[in-house]
Amino acid sequence: PGLAVVTGIPGSGKSELVDQLAVSLCENAGWKWAIFSPENSVELHVSKLAAKRARAAIIGDEVLADDDEYQSAREWVDDNFLFLPAESGTSVRSILDRADACVAQLKPEGCFGLIIDPWNYVSQTDVASDETSRVNSLLAQLQVWALENNALCVVIAHPTKASGIE
């Protein structure tokens, strides 16, 4: 349990790596996950996770898998992942309160994970005076929650693309 921050250059596959890690931990260790991912629609994210479960490629919006196998993979995703919509709040407290409800609903036999992707969607209304102090305070809240819940909280920080780089 604890807190992991994943970052890297734009387009390097940070989100795909974390999704693959989550699927593998579900398959091999009985983990359950809550995901706060406002940049992806739930439908798209479920499709990506199901494709990973079915070991199928995705081209455009199409998952290259047998229909029955893909449907089975989608049902598996529904049993192991819950999504936290941004419309219900973007503060750390709101995300953690909903993650608590996910733990209660999924009742993991193994560990539990929370993915926040991307970090820049988390509202930073903390009263700390400077940005570094605010970020430290929010990350500390995530760390405490993870330790209290025998959970892993994975935060994906997408850096801003540098000007002139494509």
Side-chain angles (χ1 to χ4, degrees):
L3 175 67
V5 178
V6 177
T7 191
I9 61 172
S12 62
K14 298 173 289 295
S15 299
E16 294 299 319
L17 173 69
V18 170
D19 281 354
Q20 183 61 58
L21 172 72
V23 167
S24 294
L25 286 169
C26 283
E27 291 175 336
N28 298 306
W31 284 52
K32 306 286 184 174
W33 293 87
I35 299 179
F36 175 76
S37 181
E39 285 187 337
N40 285 316
S41 71
V42 171
E43 178 60 30
L44 175 61
H45 212 141
V46 168
S47 293
K48 287 179 176 182
L49 293 167
K52 286 174 176 44
R53 169 69 174 177
R55 310 297 192 266
I58 298 178
I59 297 180
D61 291 340
E62 185 179 352
V63 177
L64 305 178
D66 172 82
D67 287 343
D68 290 339
E69 185 178 4
Y70 179 63
Q71 186 57 40
S72 175
R74 286 183 63 90
E75 291 169 8
W76 179 86
V77 169
D78 289 342
D79 291 340
N80 291 286
F81 293 85
L82 289 173
F83 295 86
L84 311 176
E87 297 81 28
S88 298
T90 61
S91 70
V92 165
R93 186 71 264 147
S94 171
I95 293 167
L96 293 179
D97 286 346
R98 289 179 286 144
D100 285 338
C102 292
V103 171
Q105 182 177 341
L106 291 171
K107 298 177 182 66
E109 293 175 16
C111 292
F112 185 81
L114 169 63
I115 297 170
I116 298 175
D117 180 16
W119 172 253
N120 63 306
Y121 271 81
V122 176
S123 59
Q124 299 185 13
T125 57
D126 197 296
V127 295
S129 60
D130 62 271
E131 183 177 3
T132 300
S133 296
R134 282 192 303 275
V135 169
N136 287 343
S137 173
L138 295 172
L139 292 176
Q141 290 176 55
L142 296 173
Q143 173 74 12
V144 167
W145 178 88
L147 293 173
E148 288 175 347
N149 288 281
N150 189 34
L152 173 63
C153 182
V154 180
V155 174
I156 303 174
H158 295 271
T160 305
K161 292 181 181 175
S163 179
I165 296 177
E166 298 189 26

